Amino acid sequence: MAAPKQRVEQQTAWVLHTYPWRETSLIVEVFSRDHGRVALVAKGARRPHSQLRGVLMAFQPLLMDWSGGGEVKTLVRAEWQGGQPLLSGRALICGYYLNELLVRLTAREDPHPRLFAAYAEAVRALGRGEPESPLLRRFELALLQDLGYEAGLEHEADGGEAVRPEGRYLYIIERGPVRLEVLEEEIRDSGGEGAAALGEQPLLSGQTLLDMAADDFSRAETLAQSKQLLRMLINHTLGGQPLQSRRVLKELQEL
């Protein structure tokens, strides 16, 4: 049975990815405010005089209309909303990293209004030339939380006690933050089982966890430790599959 056709109008959206389709058209992956990630066919968008040719750009706010009932809808109209500088250099690569996370980790037509707002703010911050690391960490955390991965940063795993600022913690996936001395005691009680895995986890201060919960990435230690933690959680969510944009960023840093 065919999916019912729908018409969506005046939808705020951002282009995440485009690729050629047939001779003159494009398939466009967009992230929209009310419909989440949507695949659209932009008919004739590759023709030299197409009105869509100069509009379907990444990292620019667009107003879109589309219609259709299948997995891939038909783009009817796209209008540039303006006010966003073009990204370049490292900011551009960081933007591609945000887009790759959304394409890889969100389901099509699954609305994420809070994540949409977090993405829009991250792109605008990149356009303003703000420091990249804090805005990337904020977006990564917002992404994980919106996908249903509750980080549980303010309370210790199991007992639910408040995280101690002076404490030292390891974050156990599917469990949460556990004080180092608690884990060491568990390992001793189990005859050493799990000791090897202990060294693979990033060591976090309690203050870092509390800073992350408060959206405060001003401390250098918080910035460094949160990067380790969020990378571990995102890698777990990706199932260990590498990110192309992360590889490009690493290569740029080595130049």
Side-chain angles (χ1 to χ4, degrees):
M1 182 176 177
K5 291 187 177 181
Q6 62 171 330
R7 172 85 179 208
V8 174
E9 297 181 338
Q10 299 287 292
Q11 183 66 202
T12 304
W14 301 79
V15 171
L16 299 178
H17 180 60
T18 64
Y19 52 93
W21 185 70
R22 295 185 176 174
E23 291 185 3
T24 62
S25 302
L26 289 172
I27 298 293
V28 188
E29 291 272 2
V30 305
F31 189 45
S32 67
R33 182 189 59 211
D34 300 324
H35 298 267
R37 185 165 63 87
V38 182
L40 307 172
V41 56
K43 294 181 179 179
R46 297 166 62 203
R47 290 193 178 114
H49 302 294
S50 170
Q51 292 183 340
L52 294 172
R53 189 177 177 92
V55 175
L56 298 176
M57 299 183 295
F59 316 118
Q60 294 296 312
L62 303 175
L63 208 57
M64 290 184 159
D65 300 352
W66 65 78
S67 65
E71 183 180 358
V72 180
K73 321 295 184 188
T74 299
L75 179 63
V76 176
R77 184 177 71 97
E79 184 179 297
W80 181 55
Q81 290 190 283
Q84 170 66 33
L86 294 174
L87 302 186
S88 61
R90 281 184 55 87
L92 181 62
I93 303 301
C94 289
Y96 283 130
Y97 172 67
L98 303 182
N99 286 5
E100 190 173 8
L101 286 177
L102 288 174
V103 170
R104 296 278 294 276
L105 293 178
T106 61
R108 280 184 178 160
E109 299 187 58
D110 185 13
H112 292 280
R114 289 185 305 174
L115 184 58
F116 181 88
Y119 175 82
E121 176 52 35
V123 172
R124 292 186 181 109
L126 286 170
R128 292 191 296 265
E130 293 185 14
E132 295 146 7
S133 292
L135 67 89
L136 292 180
R137 304 296 82 82
R138 287 190 179 96
F139 180 78
E140 290 167 341
L141 188 56
L143 172 65
L144 290 167
Q145 290 173 337
D146 220 57
L147 293 178
Y149 195 100
E150 183 51 57
L153 300 169
E154 297 177 279
H155 294 91
E156 296 180 3
D158 306 327
E161 294 183 18
V163 163
R164 307 172 187 179
E166 73 283 359
R168 295 182 301 163
Y169 291 85
L170 293 180
Y171 194 97
I172 308 301
I173 293 175
E174 311 298 351
R175 188 175 171 187
V178 183
R179 265 184 293 128
L180 181 60
E181 53 265 35
V182 171
L183 278 175
E184 290 172 338
E185 184 177 347
E186 290 177 359
I187 290 170
R188 285 194 299 270
D189 291 343
S190 66
E193 185 178 345
L198 197 64
E200 300 172 2
Q201 306 286 339
L203 185 63
L204 311 163
S205 73
Q207 189 61 56
T208 288
L209 294 168
L210 295 173
D211 286 346
M212 291 175 67
D215 193 33
D216 181 0
F217 293 89
S218 58
R219 295 171 65 246
E221 182 182 66
T222 295
L223 206 52
Q225 293 182 353
S226 64
K227 179 178 180 178
Q228 290 181 300
L229 172 59
L230 291 167
R231 175 162 294 187
M232 180 186 76
L233 295 176
I234 286 173
N235 286 345
H236 174 74
T237 308
L238 286 167
Q241 295 297 312
L243 290 168
Q244 181 74 7
S245 51
R246 191 181 281 170
R247 181 186 64 79
V248 173
L249 269 174
K250 183 178 179 181
E251 289 177 356
L252 281 175
Q253 291 168 350
E254 292 173 352
L255 289 176

